[in-house]
Amino acid sequence: MEKKLSAVILGLIVVFAGVGYGAAALGYIDHFTIFFDGWWSFFIIIPAFCSLFNKYSNKFFSLALLALGIGLLLWRQDILNIPIGRLVLPAVAIVCGISIIISAFTGHKGGNKNGDCSPIITDDGSLPKYSASFGSVRPNYNGQPFTGCILDASFGSAFLDLRGAVIEGECTIQAETSFGGIEIYLPQTCRLDLHSSASFGGVENKFINSSDPAAPVIHINAQASFGGIEIK
């Protein structure tokens, strides 16, 4: 849902810009620009708004970030007359601190046979999901069978080491990060099928495929927004 909503919003913005510039070029309006005072605040508002529709996200932080973005926009538009620009750093520190405290009481704890963190298991039979928000996750599949997983790092980090995992046939890893980072280590006996996209971020592939055509295939769908993903 979150990814679809982000794509719809981005598409609407592009369409709006195209219509506006086209109308200006044809003389229907005198001037058009998508750049106005506080336009950069939408890089805060849009990700915060979309994250509200992710059931695994930290809703308190998303709401606080959304309020901060809207406040910055109103401040730059001279609608708010308080010195909000000076309050950004203290506000972020307060929100982060409260979010960490909330996570301490509501986060997933303990371990299982797959490592030192517990994945979120959904009822629809989808892949196990490891989610990091203001922290880190390090799933451990050493000596264990691996059939795929989802890694989600929002304002956090995820580290997945599969060099000692048991992999047969094909498996899929869905890696998504926003304002965070993900590192994935693959066994040299496998082949990689990578599909990636990045928005104000990057996906770096340093993995060398096995020359064995019968080697297991790991499919990775990587998406980075204001973050980075490394595959080694």
Side-chain angles (χ1 to χ4, degrees), residues 19-34:
V19 171
Y21 283 114
L26 294 174
Y28 291 109
I29 57 177
D30 294 333
H31 177 70
F32 177 83
T33 180
I34 61 174

Side-chain angles (χ1 to χ4, degrees), residues 38-217:
W39 64 271
W40 43 264
S41 63
F42 280 93
F43 289 110
I44 301 176
I45 295 172
I46 294 176
F49 176 76
C50 293
S51 68
L52 291 174
F53 297 88
N54 185 340
K55 63 181 178 180
Y56 301 115
S57 67
N58 186 322
K59 298 299 187 295
F60 172 80
F61 182 81
S62 298
L63 285 171
L65 198 63
L66 179 61
L68 177 62
I70 294 174
L72 288 170
L73 176 61
L74 296 178
W75 170 61
R76 292 297 298 156
Q77 290 291 317
D78 294 326
I79 298 176
L80 287 180
N81 294 322
I82 60 176
I84 192 170
R86 300 178 183 178
L87 299 176
V88 171
L89 185 58
V92 170
I94 292 172
V95 171
C96 289
I98 295 176
S99 297
I100 292 172
I101 294 172
I102 293 175
S103 298
F105 290 94
T106 62
H108 295 272
K109 299 180 180 180
N112 61 13
K113 66 179 182 179
N114 288 333
D116 54 0
C117 58
S118 300
I120 299 171
I121 306 296
T122 58
D123 296 330
D124 58 4
S126 59
L127 296 173
K129 180 171 185 175
Y130 299 92
S131 184
S133 179
F134 291 99
S136 62
V137 291
R138 300 174 65 91
N140 180 13
Y141 282 89
N142 188 31
Q144 301 291 335
F146 178 79
T147 56
C149 72
I150 299 173
L151 299 173
D152 183 9
S154 300
F155 294 91
S157 62
F159 180 87
L160 178 63
D161 190 348
L162 298 177
R163 289 174 291 187
V166 179
I167 302 176
E168 298 179 357
E170 299 185 14
C171 61
T172 300
I173 299 172
Q174 182 71 36
E176 301 179 14
T177 181
S178 56
F179 297 93
I182 295 177
E183 287 187 53
I184 302 174
Y185 286 83
L186 304 179
Q188 297 298 316
T189 55
C190 293
R191 291 184 292 134
L192 170 63
D193 174 34
L194 175 63
H195 300 273
S196 64
S197 62
S199 175
F200 298 95
V203 178
E204 184 176 6
N205 179 23
K206 298 181 180 179
F207 179 73
I208 300 176
N209 278 327
S210 169
S211 58
D212 183 3
V217 178

